[in-house]
Amino acid sequence: MYLLALETSCDDTSVALMRDGELLAMSTRTQLEHDATGGVVPEVAARSHANAIFPCIDDVLREANISLSDIDVFACTARPGLAPSLLTGTTVADTLALSLGKPILWIDHIESHMFANFLERETDEIRFPTMILTVSGGHTEIYLWRSLYEFEMVSQTRDDAAGECFDKVAKMMWLGFPGGAKIARLSAEFVNRATDDEKQLASKLFPRGLSGAELDFSFSGMKSAIKRYVDSIGEPTDADRERIAYGTEMAITDVLATKLIQAAEQHGVRDIALAGGVSANTRLKDMLTQEAMNRGWNFIAPKKILYSMDNAAMVGIRAYYEYIKNPK
Ligand code: KG4
Ligand code: ZN
């Protein structure tokens, strides 16, 4: 069964070709034009998707040496996301499915991020129930994942997403968009050169937002505190940027890891998982690996950084599990 999956929910145009749940080919074009505006402009993103989507479809069909008429099922991200971006993908997917007389599955973006954990991994490697944190530029949510098809939201952010906080801090320091990976790189530089005392001080520079037993997240206070700190410095030097990046990464990852562990403990769940663009963050994965090991829990994150970021393979794998549950 060949399945063609499309992802255009934000600023990555991605197409994946799957055969029976196995990824055969994927083509992704990341929109670089948003660097100039320091964030995604929805109309610009939609236009860019419209230009990139057919070349991406061509790429995967050529790589797998099949034609469009060989596709058995289409799948496309339907929600949540930027409306003009989503509309480009859904219109293309709908047109293809309708003209070829093939079924189409409409896929939820957050569920796709969660199912990205099944790419190159058997389902029995995840023990249910699992507490999963799905965190990106647009959302920060914890779900109690009871079984393959059953999940229930446990907490979410009351304001900004964690990835958005990374991106805004990067913008404050003129590092470009998106900023998460850039902040992580600068933070690693700080770790290489700073003394233990300097690290200790920098790790406590910024407030953590909602604390205690509260499972919801809030990043707006942290973001404002970092802004005030950056403004108070004036023109930051490279050393200032590295310290701020480290302080930011420590504050965000500390909150994310702490609340995921708390959510698992409060619900009596013994396994944890991570998904979404921020799950590419090595510090966060290392923290959770350590915390899980201390407790004898299982911890998983997407196998490749590519599968953490927006990509169509995750849409394909989510759709594949939907299809085998309810064949059309
Ligand atoms: O899932 P994703 O590709 O798109 C959305 O659905 O938003 O996530 C993108 C987000 C951005 O905010 C980006 O800064 C963040 O993921 N990100 C990272 C890292 N790589 C990407 N954040 C922290 N550390 C990273 N290494
Ligand atoms: Zn995403």
Side-chain angles (χ1 to χ4, degrees):
M1 186 265 287
Y2 285 116
L3 187 149
L4 191 76
L6 274 53
E7 156 62 37
T8 66
S9 68
C10 189
D11 58 345
D12 293 299
T13 313
S14 186
V15 175
L17 179 66
M18 319 277 296
R19 187 177 48 207
D20 301 329
E22 182 202 348
L23 179 63
L24 291 185
M26 176 153 71
S27 175
T28 303
R29 314 231 163 160
T30 299
Q31 303 176 2
L32 303 173
E33 48 272 52
H34 306 299
D35 200 5
T37 39
V40 181
V41 178
E43 287 71 17
V44 174
R47 203 177 295 271
S48 213
H49 285 307
N51 290 331
I53 191 113
F54 289 108
C56 286
I57 293 174
D58 272 350
D59 286 347
V60 299
L61 293 177
R62 205 170 323 112
E63 195 179 327
N65 199 21
I66 66 163
S67 66
L68 210 46
S69 55
D70 295 321
I71 304 293
D72 299 297
V73 186
F74 289 85
C76 181
T77 310
R79 63 189 172 277
L82 300 174
S85 289
L86 287 166
L87 205 57
T88 315
T90 54
T91 305
V92 170
D94 226 0
T95 308
L96 291 175
L98 201 71
S99 58
L100 293 162
K102 298 290 168 62
I104 180 151
L105 298 173
W106 299 115
I107 301 298
D108 182 284
H109 184 67
I110 312 289
E111 292 177 17
S112 297
H113 273 302
M114 290 163 62
F115 274 70
N117 278 297
F118 291 128
L119 288 163
E120 299 182 34
R121 191 182 268 139
E122 296 302 321
T123 41
D124 58 11
E125 280 184 58
I126 299 187
R127 296 185 306 200
F128 294 110
T130 280
M131 198 57 82
I132 181 162
L133 168 66
T134 155
V135 54
S136 76
H139 62 270
T140 304
E141 290 158 9
I142 295 177
Y143 287 85
L144 172 55
W145 202 354
R146 292 186 189 280
S147 66
L148 192 56
Y149 298 105
E150 276 181 299
F151 19 78
E152 173 186 316
M153 193 194 282
V154 165
S155 73
Q156 60 183 319
T157 180
R158 294 193 188 163
D159 38 61
D160 302 336
E164 190 182 346
C165 191
F166 271 115
D167 295 337
K168 292 278 163 58
V169 175
K171 191 174 177 185
M172 288 171 207
M173 299 198 287
W174 304 100
L175 298 175
F177 177 86
K182 289 168 182 156
I183 295 281
R185 218 170 299 130
L186 283 180
S187 169
E189 301 281 333
F190 182 80
V191 171
N192 285 340
R193 68 159 178 82
T195 63
D196 285 349
D197 282 353
E198 284 170 332
K199 282 184 217 162
Q200 181 67 17
L201 270 177
S203 71
K204 300 271 180 291
L205 266 179
F206 306 122
R208 266 52 173 166
L210 302 171
S211 57
E214 176 58 66
L215 295 180
D216 273 356
F217 299 88
S218 169
F219 291 101
S220 67
M222 182 193 295
K223 194 178 69 187
S224 304
I226 301 172
K227 173 99 179 79
R228 278 195 302 275
Y229 186 84
V230 173
D231 288 349
S232 74
I233 287 178
E235 185 77 24
T237 62
D238 286 348
D240 289 331
R241 285 202 178 89
E242 288 168 10
R243 190 178 59 256
I244 293 164
Y246 179 75
T248 300
E249 193 186 37
M250 287 302 282
I252 296 176
T253 54
D254 182 14
V255 171
L256 294 175
T258 304
K259 288 194 187 285
L260 178 59
I261 299 287
Q262 273 177 350
E265 280 174 345
Q266 286 182 26
H267 286 78
V269 172
R270 317 192 67 78
D271 289 320
I272 51 174
L274 198 57
V278 179
S279 71
N281 187 278
T282 307
R283 176 175 299 281
L284 180 59
K285 283 190 279 195
D286 288 350
M287 284 165 101
L288 289 170
T289 302
Q290 190 59 52
E291 294 288 344
M293 213 156 67
N294 293 345
R295 292 168 172 79
W297 296 359
N298 221 12
F299 164 63
I300 57 154
K303 279 226 160 155
K304 292 180 177 161
I305 288 194
L306 185 68
Y307 301 152
S308 286
M309 314 303 292
D310 284 353
N311 69 88
M314 68 183 193
V315 181
I317 195 82
R318 175 68 191 97
Y320 169 72
Y321 282 108
E322 194 57 37
Y323 186 78
I324 56 174
K325 188 174 97 184
N326 287 316
K328 300 216 172 191

